[in-house]
Structure formats: C-alpha cells, structure tokens
Amino acid sequence: MCWSKIAVIDDADSIVTTIKEQRSITQQQQYNPGLPDLCTPKVWVLRVLRFATLKLFNFPSERHPVFSVSDFFQKPKKMNKHYKIFIFLLIGLLSACKGPAPDPIDAKIETLLDQMTLEEKLGQLVKKNGDHPNLPDQIRQGLVGSILNEVNPDRIYELQRIAVEESRLGIPLLVGRDVIHGFRTIFPIPLGQAASWNPELVEKGARIAAVEAASQGVNWTFAPMIDVTRDPRWGRIAESFGEDPYLTGVMGAAKVRGFQGDSLSAHDAIAACLKHFAAYGWAEGGRDYNTVSIPYNELYDIILPPFQMALEAGAATIMTAFNEINGIPTTGHVSLLRDLLREQWGFQGVLLSDWNSVTEMIVHGFTPNYKESAYMAKQATVDVEMVSRAYETYLPQLIDEGRINIEQINDAVRRVLRLKFDLGLFENPYRFKGDFPELLAPEHLEASKQMALESIVLLKNQGALPLPKNIRRLAVIGPLADAPHEQMGTWVFDGRKENSITPLQSLRELGLSNGFEIYYHRALETSRSHQITDPKGILRSVGRADAVLLFLGEESILSGEGKSLANINLQGAQEELVRLVGTANRPVIAIIMAGRPITFEEVKPYMDAVLYAWHPGTMAGPALTELIFGKVSPSGKLPVTFPRHVGQIPIYYNHKNTGRPASFETFVHLYDIPVEAPQFSLGTTSHYLDYGFKPMFPFGFGLSYSSFEISNVALENSQLKAGEYLKVALALKNTGKVKAAEVVQLYTRQKFGSRTRPVRELRAFQKILLEPGQEIKVYFEVNTHDLGFHNQQMQFVTEPGPFQLWVGTCSQSGIMKPFEIIE
Ligand code: BGC
C-alpha cells in the first residue's frame, strides 16, 4: 500500500505544498498509457544531437530534414578526430537515457489525430446513452466515441460496425455499463463483498462479472466505487466497501484486477473506473448528492488512499463525483483533478464526468452556464463528458476564443484513443463475439454462492444456530424469504429475478430431502407494509415449529443511488412482526437482507440469532441454507460500524479520542439521573445520555460456529525507524469443534502526534480457514512509513513516538503490544 500524499489543496484551492516524503505510484504496476511526451529528456537529447550533427560535421542540411540514426554512422569527410569523440559521447549519452522504447501505438494515435477534424475529436469526448436519438447516424459522422447503457449484443454489434466501417476514420466505440456486483450472475452487494474480507474472492467475482459483461459487448465498467463512508443513511453505502480506507483500498484493488484481468486487450477484460473522485461518501447528513465539507487532512488520509491503492492495481479510468468539496464541484476542481490527480499522481488514463455532472455545476452555483461549465471541466482535465452536452456545444467556441488550447483537446483525445488501443478494439472491435463461457455458468453461480457464504455476518447467536439436521418443523416468515428481485440488491441492471434462488426455495428443497416441514408466511407484502397478514396463522405456525426463520430487511430499491433514509430502522411493521413472533417462546433466527446497516437495537432482544446477509445476490438461498444448517460456518466481519440509533451517526471505529473520552465508569443513563442533580455532579464525557457511546456492533465484528484463540504475539523488533518493517508473528488456533475461517486483524494507534491520531487504524488482515484443533503461525509485515499522516503543514510524515498495536478478531478487542518509532 502506498499512503503517499503528494500535494495539498489549500483553502484558496491551489496547490501549496509538495510533499517530500513522496512515494509515487509504482509505475510498472500502474496502467499508465504512455502518451507521446515531446518534452522527455530523450527527445531533447536527440534534438540537440541532430542539430550538432548537421552543424559540426557539415552534413548538407537538406539531406537531413529529419533526424535519422543512420546519419551518425555515415562517416563525414572532415573532422575525423572530433567525430570519434562525438560518437563516443553519443553512445554514453544514449545509454544514459534509459527511457522506454517508443511505443508504436503512440505513432498510430498521432496519425489518427492528424486526420481528425475538431468535430471528430470532440466526438471522442462525449459519452451518450444507448437510447440517444439518432445514435447510429451520429456515430457514422464520428460524433460519438463512447456510449453507455446498451447491452443488447446485436445492437452493440451494429453500432460498432457503423463506427468502424461507416465512420470516416473507423474509430471503435467504448461501451460502458455499471457492472457493480455482477452482470447476469449477481454477487452480494459491494458492502457485503467487503464483509467477506477476502480480496481473492472479490477479485474472482469481478473477473466473472467482467467475462459475462464482455461477452455481451461491454468493454468499460463504472466500478469499483471506492468512496469511503461513515454514514448508513447514505443509500450508496451499499455500493461501497464501508468505512475503512485500507479495507476499501484492498477491495478496490482486487476489483480492478478482476475486471481488467492480466491484460486489457484480452477479449474478456473490461476497463475499470474508480469512482467517485472524490469524497462523494462524505455527503452531509448522509443525503445523497449533498454538500461535502471535509478537512483536507481527512481528504488525504481517509478518502484518497483507496484511490491510490486501486491506481497501483492499474485502474484504467476514473470518474468525477456529483458533489462539491469545500465549495468546489469535483468536476471542475482544477487543483484536485489537474494538479493532484494528473500532475502529482501522474494519472494518464481517461477521466470521465459523472452523469450530467459537468452541467450540474450550474445548479451548484459554481458556473453561470454550459459554456463556463465546459471550460471548467476541461481546465480540470475531464476527458469525457457523460450525457450532458456542454463539450460538443461550447468547446469549439472556447477554442476560437483562445481560452481552451487545442492541445488540451488533443491530450484528452489521445487518452481516449489510447484506451481503445489498449482494449484491443482497433484490432478486434467485435471481441465480444469470441469464445466465452455462458452467462450464469455453473462456476459463476458457485463463486457467487461462495461470496454470499463468506459475506454473511453472524451478529448474535444464543445457541440457536446452526439448526440441527433432525429438525422436524420450521416456520419461515417474512417479506424477504421469497423475494427473488429484492435479494439481488441495488444497481442490478442485467440480473434477472428468475435466476435467483430464494431462501424459501432452498429450504423447501432441503426439507424434502431431510424430511422437515415448512410453514411459510410472507406476513408483510413488502418490507414497507404496515399490515401484518394473518397474525393468528403466524402464531399458530410458530407454536408448532421447532424454530423460526424470520426474513427481514429492506427491498433493493431502498438503498443505492438517491436512496438515502433518515430512519434506518426496519421499515413498515417489521418490528411489530418481530415482537409478535418473539413472544412465542421459540428460537427466533433473524436473517436480515439490506443494503445498509439497519438499526434493530429495540427488537434485538427478541432474536436468538441474527445473520446479517446484506443483499446476497442470485445464490442467496443455497448460501443461507448452508449457513443455517451449519454446513459452513459464518466468517463475515462487519466492514462498517452498526449504530444502535440513527442519532449516533457518525459513529465509526477509527475516531479520535477527544479530551474526554466516554467510559462505562462515567456514563449515566438518562433515566438514572437523579432529579435535580447538580450541573456537574455526573460524568462529563463524550457520550449520549440515551444511547451512550457504543455502537450496536463494531467494525470488524462477526461470530462463528467455532471459536479461535490468538496467542504468542511477538514483534521482531519493537523499536524501528520510519521506513522499516514492523514484523509481527502470532499463533491462531481453532479451539472449537467445526472447521471455520477467522479474520485476524492488525490495528495500530500512535499515542500522540503533531495532529491527534485515531484510537485505532486497520493496517493489515488475513482470513484463515482452520480445521477444529488446528493451529498455525500467522505473520504480518507493515511498513512503518504507512503509519504516517498529514501534519499541520499538510506534509505526509511518519512521526517518531510510542505506538500500540493490536491483533485480534474485531476492532474493539485483541492483544496489545507496544512499539516505538525512533528518529
Ligand atoms: C452514478 C454513477 C454511474 C452513472 C452511470 C450516475 O448517476 O453516480 O456512479 O456510473 O450514473 O450510470
């Protein structure tokens, strides 16, 4: 991981500091399209040499209109001695210039660019929706280089054919789609995938999604979304990897590797798009699209690191965000996009606006009209405008007026063409006609089931799970037990509910083979219904059953874009349903399917066990059935804190300590305060009188059917210099009776710093599967450089001083060891 922070945007919105401790993105790993850079040292050396050759050795200049290597080996008649010295120097100079060999694609791009009219160039910079009127004709005229939301392979074939065969220059199309958690085979929502804490599996899921999408003609996905968020009210938390920058970065990088495969040019690879740059998950009040105010050190320490990690994995493209940051909409944010992303980070891939986000700068109150919106977005180096039409309409005028330089346009077009070359579209625009596994291939479904198995989190278990195999009667109740559409979750454009296997279907199948009966009641028409149907019948069934499976949660449409909620309790009459069932003195197992953390504190006491399933996707049924009956032990861990009450938000694990941290010793509940208690007689610490200071469930938490013990935690060295590796060894033992996986988490805390430090920060983790009784050694290595942060001068520093580390299975526990970073 590279926590390099490079430059700083100050309040005046300009770069003010360049960080010395810069660790640049590993160039070899980065998808870094080599645009022809005419200012490289090598080019300049060659230019000087050419000049020197012509002048010093009297080559007739008309014979050498351009530089040719053979010139140097054509011995001149005069100045023999100087010539030898010159050749000697030349060889030395050239071998000192170890620049990359010229890329033949650069030449192709330049040739194309030379032939393009301004209109054709601008065509490469617009992305039009698949239903745009006259799309075929516009493509034919070279006015559209990129489309989205068209997934009919025949139509894509036809549009691509028009682009390459009927447009003047035959430039193929980019075909974009939101492939967020699967194409036809739907995987758990990203928040659920993060709960697996298994990046290999996440990568595999993205690979499958890419293969399925590519087979239908898609070559660019607008994923992964790596917006860190601390707010479960925000509907798009479903699409995020939660609240932690490190976990988000690891998962984002895994997705990128999965989408893009080993090479973008493979027929089954699709370009990834990191979004939304930046801080979209920081919307005030968790209300989607809302204003973002964020201190720059938080922007740099929390929001940006996942982008750097995913760029290291080679992400080809980036999307801007709808929001403003501290008054500047990101799509026109010159210092964020041009100065930081392009110049400091060296990002040379395609930068795409979000849907209409160029022209929404007018609504934000940042630009007066389309023309100025186009100007600002272009100044900020946004290459492609999604859907709105400011670029095609106003860039020509802005060029005429000399406000936008044609080189700015050329650079953007180069980047788009480079992506098309890298995707292999020039060689094979119909690459989706190649050899692909079928959609929903058995191995795709198996991977989706595995992901669901690993993403579901066991939050509570008072001996109710797993159910015994010899169970005779099972009550299955609730609006989500048999909801094939809802279990897929948000952002599902291409999944089909008829492919979903619901929990009720799977349980019925198992019931037939294991010989148990099922009494099923939907109870509520939808997750929002207020009317419980047939409460008496429900009670009768519960009374006859050995156990109750209560399927609760929210419909898929209640999370995702634009689906923020102020109340994140179970909606409708679900709490009433829990109480109804919970009073019947039968083990109640709640299975909650949702796109966000739901606050169910008030009804938790009625639940003997809780499996938090997120929206698990196509294979929800088989996965849940295996967990419920103990074929597999749950191993998911929360990627986000679950509040007890919405009013506690923001509540997150990596918070600051404050000067008056809360404690159980100082906390007095609202109802326990004596009447007329004197003002300062009770603890004055940072808590709520009603809901205290603890969440319902903390980050990193999740139970298992087994138990684990961590022991023998040892540090190789407890005094290190910045840049040295912190090496930790420990023993992990499965002390339970079943095979199960545990996630060992490593957190650190710097006791004090020139800026206050969080009480804990996740630095590393490993998910390990162990047989009962098995014990293994686990090793971690963390570079102490990565423990740095942005100080008051916004320099990235690793300050010497005392630290603590914890290794454990949750953010609130673990074995602590002190260590120190020394000068
Ligand atoms: C979303 C993006 C998405 C785009 C295209 C926008 O509304 O914010 O994340 O990729 O639509 O569907």
Side-chain angles (χ1 to χ4, degrees), residues 129 148-149 177-178 180 221-223 225 236 239 273 275-276 280 288-289 319-322 352-356 386-387 491 493 561:
N129 207 37
L148 80 159
N149 293 338
R177 184 67 156 173
D178 292 277
I180 306 299
T221 178
F222 310 129
M225 189 188 97
R236 291 192 90 165
E239 203 185 338
C273 182
K275 68 188 190 184
H276 304 84
Y280 181 42
D288 206 2
Y289 316 121
M319 186 188 291
T320 67
F322 285 129
L352 169 75
S353 83
D354 202 347
W355 185 290
N356 285 351
M386 194 197 292
V387 179
W491 276 117
F493 285 163
E561 187 177 343

Side-chain angles (χ1 to χ4, degrees), residues 487-563:
Q487 73 184 39
M488 290 192 290
T490 183
W491 276 117
V492 169
F493 285 163
D494 303 296
R496 305 272 185 270
K497 69 174 184 178
E498 50 275 21
N499 300 131
S500 290
I501 307 178
T502 69
L504 183 66
Q505 284 171 297
S506 290
L507 288 164
R508 279 195 168 135
E509 203 176 299
L510 188 71
L512 285 180
S513 58
N514 279 19
F516 61 80
E517 261 185 277
I518 288 183
Y519 314 131
Y520 169 61
H521 297 263
R522 192 176 180 96
L524 295 164
E525 192 44 41
T526 73
S527 68
R528 289 165 287 159
S529 308
H530 284 276
Q531 188 64 44
I532 300 180
T533 35
D534 191 17
K536 283 192 186 139
I538 291 173
L539 278 182
R540 253 195 321 276
S541 295
V542 169
R544 287 160 65 202
D546 301 318
V548 183
L549 298 179
L550 197 49
F551 286 87
L552 307 167
E554 57 185 7
E555 297 147 74
S556 57
I557 195 64
L558 298 187
S559 62
E561 187 177 343
K563 310 300 181 312

